[in-house]
Amino acid sequence: MTIDLFEDALPPPWREEIAPGAVVLHGFVRDHGPELLAAVNGVVAQVPWRHMTTPGGFTMSVAMSWCGNGWNSDSNGYRYSQRDPGTGKSWPEIPAILLALADEAALQAGFGHYVPDSCLMNRYDPGSKLSLHQDIDEHDFTAPIVSVSLGLPAVFQFGGLQRSDRTQRIPLAHGDVVVWGGPSRLCFHGIMPVKEGYHSLVGSHRINITLRKAL
């Protein structure tokens, strides 16, 4: 059985506000999965999936790729860069479809026109997770984060400005987009361990695309 076996019975796209400045656009890009996955695969062909090491020396369970301004994690901390430190070459440009998606999602969520300069892509295999964290390595906190879900479903945790604040658990499905900014820009968030399953387009993975203004 595939995750989208009953796709015809899915509800129409709808908007859910989860906090001031934080919105889930359910089903927002559900009909554009093939084009979005093609854009992801084009980037991954240039920046293959990799498991980064945290400053504390742990290997992340999530595999990463990126375009626009890239991202790095090692014993020196987290940081963005315009070029591959190994080759000196610029990272791939953000595909046009992802730029258009980010702009439209930001508008639908109540923000103005939006031009991100960094796109991070995470691949979650069954069991992969992302612990609660804040996105604080960007230089511009006035711009929102736009986060796109493809493939297997996941449970998104969204908390407050302190790690100890109570978190909401929000189910995310293929095609859902979360946008948060303004008073929620620095809220803690994460992904609970992804359960085993199979999606007819993405297979046994969840792919998350986050677009942001980094530098």
Side-chain angles (χ1 to χ4, degrees):
M1 180 181 294
T2 61
I3 294 297
D4 56 358
L5 179 61
F6 302 105
E7 188 169 327
D8 291 342
L10 291 172
W14 59 287
R15 184 181 190 277
E16 176 186 13
E17 183 172 341
I18 58 175
V23 174
V24 182
L25 303 173
H26 292 279
F28 186 67
V29 293
R30 185 190 300 153
D31 296 335
H32 300 284
E35 303 98 308
L36 295 173
L37 186 60
V40 170
N41 288 337
V43 171
V44 171
Q46 302 173 74
V47 184
W49 296 116
R50 59 195 70 185
H51 291 272
M52 307 300 290
T53 301
T54 69
F58 297 99
T59 300
M60 297 177 65
S61 65
V62 172
M64 295 189 67
S65 181
W66 48 74
C67 51
N69 288 313
W71 190 77
N72 195 33
S73 172
D74 55 27
S75 59
N76 294 317
Y78 303 119
R79 59 198 177 279
Y80 288 93
S81 65
Q82 295 178 321
R83 298 178 180 275
D84 183 338
T87 65
K89 295 181 179 180
S90 297
W91 298 111
E93 293 184 359
I94 301 175
I97 188 173
L98 299 183
L99 291 172
L101 179 163
D103 184 52
E104 184 60 28
L107 288 171
Q108 291 292 327
F111 298 94
H113 284 289
Y114 178 50
V115 183
D117 63 12
S118 179
C119 176
L120 306 185
M121 302 172 179
N122 290 345
R123 189 196 70 204
Y124 292 79
D125 300 324
S128 297
K129 64 178 183 178
L130 200 59
S131 300
L132 284 175
H133 66 282
Q134 292 173 298
D135 289 337
I136 58 174
D137 301 304
E138 297 77 23
H139 292 181
D140 185 356
F141 294 154
T142 65
I145 302 286
V146 175
S147 176
V148 185
S149 292
L150 299 177
L152 293 179
V155 176
F156 181 56
Q157 293 179 288
F158 197 78
L161 299 177
Q162 303 296 324
R163 187 184 297 274
S164 58
D165 290 343
R166 187 180 68 85
T167 60
Q168 303 178 63
R169 294 185 176 185
I170 301 150
L172 295 179
H174 174 76
D176 289 350
V177 177
V178 185
V179 184
W180 67 95
S184 290
R185 173 59 181 77
L186 294 177
C187 285
F188 279 84
H189 57 282
I191 291 288
M192 299 186 69
V194 171
K195 295 182 178 180
E196 290 189 8
Y198 184 84
H199 189 276
S200 61
L201 178 66
V202 183
S204 58
H205 312 288
R206 173 183 186 259
I207 292 177
N208 177 237
I209 307 165
T210 60
L211 296 120
R212 56 194 70 206
K213 189 77 171 175
L215 300 178

